[in-house]
C-alpha cells in the first residue's frame, strides 16, 4: 500500500511539473504579457485546475467551427456596393489631422467613414425606451434588435409588445440576445418573443455537452437596433429596467442615427445573425438607397474575437496618441493593459489634460477591486479621476480635443478589448462632439474628484485586496 501511495505521489508531482514547464512555452504564445503572467501565476500554484481552466477559456478566440463560419461568411454584394457608394456620394468631413484615425478604423473593421447623417445623443434612460418604442411602432418593413441583456421585466415586456404589434402589421422582426448576459430571463423572453411572431435567437448559447458549444467567457456585448434600414441605435443601454440590480440604478448613453451610417449597423447585425443561424438575407428593403439627412460624419467599428486584431483597444490607444489638448474617457470598468497605460502616460507628458470619469457605484466587486488598483498609478502620472456618485455610470465614450469622439458598447478593459464582440461609433463632427462634452460637464459636476493624498490614506487591507485582484485582472 505504501509503495502504491509513493508512486501515486510521485506521479502527481511529476504531472504538476510537466504542466508547469509545458505551459511556460504554450501560454505566452500570441498573448499579452499581462495575461501571460496571470495565467502562469495560476498554473504555478494550481497546475491541474489551472490547465483545465486554460483549456476551457484560455484562448481569446472562438472555437474552430465558429472561426470557419466567420471566414466563410458570404459577403452581401448589395450591402458592400451601397456602403461604398454612400462613401463617395456623402463624403465625410474629416479634419486632415484625423484622417489616420479613419484609416485605422477602416482597416480594423472594414467600414469607412460616411457623411450625410443625423445624430441624437440620448441620456434619458426612460426616454431611450420611449423613443425606441415609437420607432418600432412606426416601422413598416423590419426591426432588428441585438441586446446583451434582455429582461422580462416591465421594460422588456413593453419592447416585446411593441415588436408584437409590428409583426401583426406584417413587419419582419428579428431579435438576438446574449445567452449569458440574458441568462436569468432568456427562456421567458424567447418564449414571449416567439409567441408574438418575432424571430428570436440566443447568441453564443453555452451548452458544453452539445454539438458546437460556445465558451462562457466569449460574449456578444453589442447593443444595436435597426428600423427599416433607415434608423439605428447604438450605445450602452440594454433592454432592462434601470434599477434591475437591487440598490443600483444605471445611467446610460445611446446614439440614435439616421442616414447612410445605418447600413453599417445593418451589416453588423446581419453578420451576427448569420453566425448564429447561417441564414443570409438579400432583401432590398434591408439596405434602402441612402439619402442625406444631416451633416454628421460617422464611422462604425465592430470588434471582437472574430477579428484578428483588437479593434476597440487599438482605436482607444490611437485616440490618446492623437490628442493635442484634452481626452475624457468615460467607462464603468477600467482595467487597462500596459499599452493603454503607456498611451495615457504619454498623453499627459505631452501636456494633454487626461480625465477619467469612472463610477463610484460598482456592481462587480472583484472587477471594482482590480480597477481601483490602477488609481494610484494614474494619479501619479497626472491623470485626473472623477468618481461619479449616486448611480452606476454605465455609459462608454471617449472624447478628444472637442472634435473627435467614440460612443458604443466597449468598456476600457481587457474583456471588452479581447473577449467581447463590441460596436463603437466614431464621431468626426465637432458640433456633435461638443454636445457630448456638455454631457461630460454634467458628469464632472456629479462626481467627486479623487485626489492622490486622499487615495493614499485608504486602509492598508484595501490596498492588499486591490493588488491581489490586479494579479488576475487580465482574466476578469
Amino acid at each position: 500500500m505504501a509503495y502504491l501511495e509513493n508512486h501515486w505521489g510521485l506521479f502527481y508531482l511529476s504531472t504538476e511539473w510537466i504542466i508547469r514547464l509545458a505551459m511556460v512555452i504554450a501560454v505566452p504564445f500570441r498573448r499579452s504579457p499581462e495575461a501571460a503572467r496571470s495565467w502562469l501565476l495560476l498554473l504555478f500554484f494550481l497546475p491541474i485546475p489551472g490547465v483545465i481552466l486554460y483549456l476551457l477559456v484560455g484562448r481569446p478566440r472562438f472555437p474552430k467551427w465558429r472561426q470557419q463560419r466567420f471566414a466563410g461568411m458570404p459577403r452581401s454584394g448589395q450591402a458592400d456596393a451601397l456602403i461604398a457608394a454612400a462613401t463617395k456620394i456623402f463624403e465625410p468631413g474629416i479634419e486632415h489631422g484625423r484622417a489616420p484615425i479613419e484609416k485605422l478604423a477602416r482597416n480594423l473593421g472594414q467600414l469607412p467613414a460616411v457623411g450625410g447623417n443625423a445624430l441624437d445623443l440620448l441620456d434619458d434612460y426612460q426616454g431611450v425606451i420611449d423613443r425606441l418604442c415609437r420607432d418600432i411602432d412606426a416601422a413598416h418593413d423590419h426591426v432588428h434588435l441585438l441586446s446583451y441583456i434582455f429582461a422580462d421585466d416591465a421594460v422588456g415586456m413593453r419592447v416585446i409588445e411593441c415588436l408584437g404589434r409590428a409583426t401583426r402589421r406584417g413587419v419582419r422582426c428579428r431579435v438576438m440576445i446574449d445567452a449569458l448576459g440574458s441568462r436569468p430571463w432568456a427562456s421567458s423572453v424567447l418564449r414571449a418573443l416567439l409567441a408574438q411572431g418575432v424571430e428570436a435567437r440566443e447568441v453564443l448559447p453555452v451548452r458544453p455537452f452539445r454539438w458546437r458549444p460556445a465558451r462562457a467567457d466569449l460574449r456578444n456585448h453589442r447593443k444595436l437596433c435597426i428600423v427599416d434600414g433607415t434608423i439605428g441605435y447604438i450605445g450602452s443601454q440594454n433592454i432592462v429596467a434601470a434599477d434591475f440590480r437591487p440598490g443600483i440604478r444605471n445611467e446610460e448613453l445611446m446614439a440614435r442615427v439616421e442616414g447612410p451610417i445605418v447600413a453599417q449597423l445593418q451589416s453588423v447585425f446581419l453578420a451576427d445573425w448569420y453566425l448564429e443561424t447561417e441564414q443570409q438575407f438579400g432583401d432590398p428593403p434591408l439596405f434602402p438607397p441612402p439619402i442625406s439627412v444631416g451633416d454628421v460624419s460617422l464611422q462604425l467599428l465592430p470588434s471582437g474575437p472574430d477579428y484578428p486584431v483588437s479593434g476597440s483597444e487599438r482605436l482607444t490607444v490611437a485616440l490618446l496618441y492623437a490628442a493635442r489638448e484634452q481626452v475624457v474617457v468615460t467607462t464603468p470598468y477600467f482595467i487597462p493593459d500596459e499599452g493603454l497605460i503607456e498611451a495615457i502616460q504619454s498623453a499627459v507628458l505631452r501636456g494633454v489634460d487626461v480625465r477619467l470619469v469612472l463610477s463610484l457605484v460598482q456592481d462587480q466587486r472583484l472587477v471594482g477591486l482590480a480597477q481601483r488598483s490602477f488609481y494610484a498609478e494614474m494619479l501619479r502620472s497626472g491623470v485626473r479621476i472623477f468618481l461619479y456618485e449616486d448611480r452606476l455610470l454605465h455609459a462608454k465614450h471617449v472624447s478628444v480635443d472637442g472634435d473627435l469622439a467614440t460612443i458604443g458598447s466597449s468598456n476600457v478593459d481587457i474583456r471588452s478589448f479581447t473577449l467581447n464582440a463590441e460596436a463603437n461609433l466614431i464621431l468626426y463632427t465637432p458640433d456633435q462632439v461638443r454636445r457630448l462634452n456638455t454631457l461630460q460637464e454634467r458628469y464632472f459636476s456629479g462626481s467627486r474628484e479623487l485626489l492622490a493624498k486622499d487615495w493614499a490614506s485608504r486602509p492598508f487591507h484595501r490596498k492588499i485586496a486591490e493588488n491581489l485582484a490586479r494579479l488576475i485582472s487580465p482574466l476578469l
Side-chain angles (χ1 to χ4, degrees):
M1 189 68 176
Y3 173 82
L4 290 176
E5 289 177 354
N6 288 337
H7 275 265
W8 171 248
L10 181 61
F11 172 77
Y12 186 84
L13 185 63
S14 301
T15 300
E16 287 193 327
W17 276 105
I18 289 171
I19 291 172
R20 290 185 180 111
L21 295 174
M23 299 310 279
V24 165
I25 299 172
V27 167
F29 182 67
R30 296 183 65 184
R31 182 172 280 104
S32 69
E34 302 84 14
R37 283 197 298 268
S38 296
W39 276 112
L40 290 174
L41 184 67
L42 175 63
L43 289 159
F44 182 83
F45 285 105
L46 298 170
I48 293 177
V51 76
I52 293 172
L53 184 63
Y54 179 84
L55 292 173
L56 290 173
V57 300
R59 291 191 175 275
R61 289 289 177 266
F62 284 117
K64 188 175 181 179
W65 68 266
R66 167 86 178 204
Q67 296 179 42
Q68 291 173 340
R69 186 178 291 183
F70 182 80
M73 183 168 53
R75 299 287 299 184
S76 170
Q78 181 192 12
D80 290 347
L82 186 146
I83 290 171
T87 305
K88 294 178 181 179
I89 298 171
F90 308 109
E91 186 174 347
I94 299 176
E95 293 185 9
H96 177 71
R98 302 313 190 191
I101 296 293
E102 192 278 338
K103 185 174 183 179
L104 171 69
R106 177 161 30 98
N107 288 331
L108 289 170
Q110 303 301 308
L111 295 170
V114 63
N117 302 288
L119 170 73
D120 287 329
L121 297 179
L122 309 175
D123 65 328
D124 176 10
Y125 198 104
Q126 188 58 45
V128 170
I129 301 301
D130 294 342
R131 190 78 175 271
L132 178 64
C133 286
R134 286 199 300 271
D135 285 334
I136 294 174
D137 282 336
H140 58 80
D141 185 78
H142 66 272
V143 176
H144 291 161
L145 194 153
L146 166 60
S147 186
Y148 178 67
I149 296 176
F150 198 130
D152 62 356
D153 58 13
V155 169
M157 295 310 296
R158 182 183 174 192
V159 173
I160 290 172
E161 290 169 3
C162 289
L163 292 167
R165 290 194 295 271
T167 61
R168 289 190 288 275
R169 296 195 307 272
V171 175
R172 193 84 178 264
C173 297
R174 301 181 181 99
V175 172
M176 288 186 288
I177 64 174
D178 186 81
L180 192 64
S182 300
R183 183 176 57 84
W185 316 278
S187 296
S188 60
V189 166
L190 290 173
R191 281 196 304 270
L193 288 167
L194 293 172
Q196 295 281 2
V198 178
E199 299 174 59
R201 297 287 189 279
E202 274 189 303
V203 179
L204 299 168
V206 182
R207 296 165 183 152
F209 301 109
R210 296 192 181 186
W211 176 244
R212 291 182 171 176
R215 280 173 40 179
D217 61 326
L218 301 181
R219 297 289 97 207
N220 193 319
H221 195 241
R222 296 168 180 152
K223 293 92 175 169
L224 301 174
C225 185
I226 301 96
V227 180
D228 292 339
T230 60
I231 298 171
Y233 287 80
I234 181 172
S236 65
Q237 187 167 330
N238 293 289
I239 307 299
V240 66
D243 57 354
F244 75 100
R245 292 186 180 91
I248 296 176
R249 189 173 184 84
N250 281 25
E251 185 161 337
E252 311 283 356
L253 182 64
M254 294 290 287
R256 181 186 183 273
V257 295
E258 297 180 77
I261 191 64
V262 179
Q264 297 188 16
L265 274 66
Q266 185 82 285
S267 67
V268 171
F269 177 91
L270 293 177
D272 283 343
W273 186 270
Y274 175 83
L275 290 171
E276 295 303 321
T277 66
E278 293 189 279
Q279 296 175 4
Q280 186 183 15
F281 302 102
D283 303 333
L286 296 178
F287 293 96
I291 59 173
S292 177
V293 295
D295 59 357
V296 182
S297 297
L298 301 170
Q299 184 178 19
L300 183 65
L301 176 61
S303 63
D306 285 316
Y307 295 83
V309 178
S310 174
S312 58
E313 178 184 26
R314 295 292 178 95
L315 175 63
T316 305
V317 169
L319 291 173
L320 284 157
Y321 280 114
R324 298 182 293 263
E325 298 176 1
Q326 186 184 71
V327 177
V328 180
V329 178
T330 302
T331 179
Y333 311 117
F334 178 75
I335 301 181
D337 61 9
E338 288 298 327
L340 184 57
I341 291 172
E342 290 175 1
I344 291 172
Q345 293 172 336
S346 295
V348 174
L349 290 171
R350 295 196 311 273
V352 176
D353 175 15
V354 179
R355 303 185 181 194
L356 299 177
V357 182
L358 310 173
S359 185
L360 182 64
V361 178
Q362 288 287 328
D363 62 339
Q364 299 183 37
R365 181 169 177 77
L366 190 58
V367 173
L369 287 170
Q371 172 173 304
R372 290 192 289 273
S373 73
F374 293 94
Y375 289 178
E377 186 175 5
M378 292 293 100
L379 292 168
R380 283 196 303 270
S381 299
V383 176
R384 297 179 68 183
I385 298 177
F386 294 83
L387 300 178
Y388 192 75
E389 300 180 300
D390 298 330
R391 297 185 181 188
L392 172 62
L393 184 58
H394 194 248
K396 310 149 198 299
H397 46 87
V398 179
S399 69
V400 179
D401 296 339
D403 63 9
L404 183 63
T406 67
I407 300 171
S409 64
S410 179
N411 300 303
V412 182
D413 65 2
I414 296 171
R415 170 162 293 281
S416 279
F417 288 164
T418 61
L419 300 178
N420 288 342
E422 306 283 4
N424 290 294
L425 191 67
I426 308 173
L427 286 61
Y428 294 101
T429 304
D431 285 348
Q432 295 297 328
V433 178
R434 284 192 285 271
R435 290 180 59 200
L436 180 62
N437 290 343
T438 300
L439 285 175
Q440 291 170 338
E441 289 297 328
R442 183 170 63 77
Y443 296 160
F444 295 147
S445 64
S447 300
R448 171 171 59 85
E449 184 170 1
L450 184 63
L451 302 178
K453 59 181 179 63
D454 295 331
W455 187 242
S457 64
R458 69 194 189 282
F460 181 72
H461 70 273
R462 285 179 53 188
K463 298 179 183 179
I464 296 296
E466 290 159 4
N467 289 330
L468 288 174
R470 181 166 180 165
L471 291 174
I472 61 170
S473 62
L475 310 182
L476 296 176

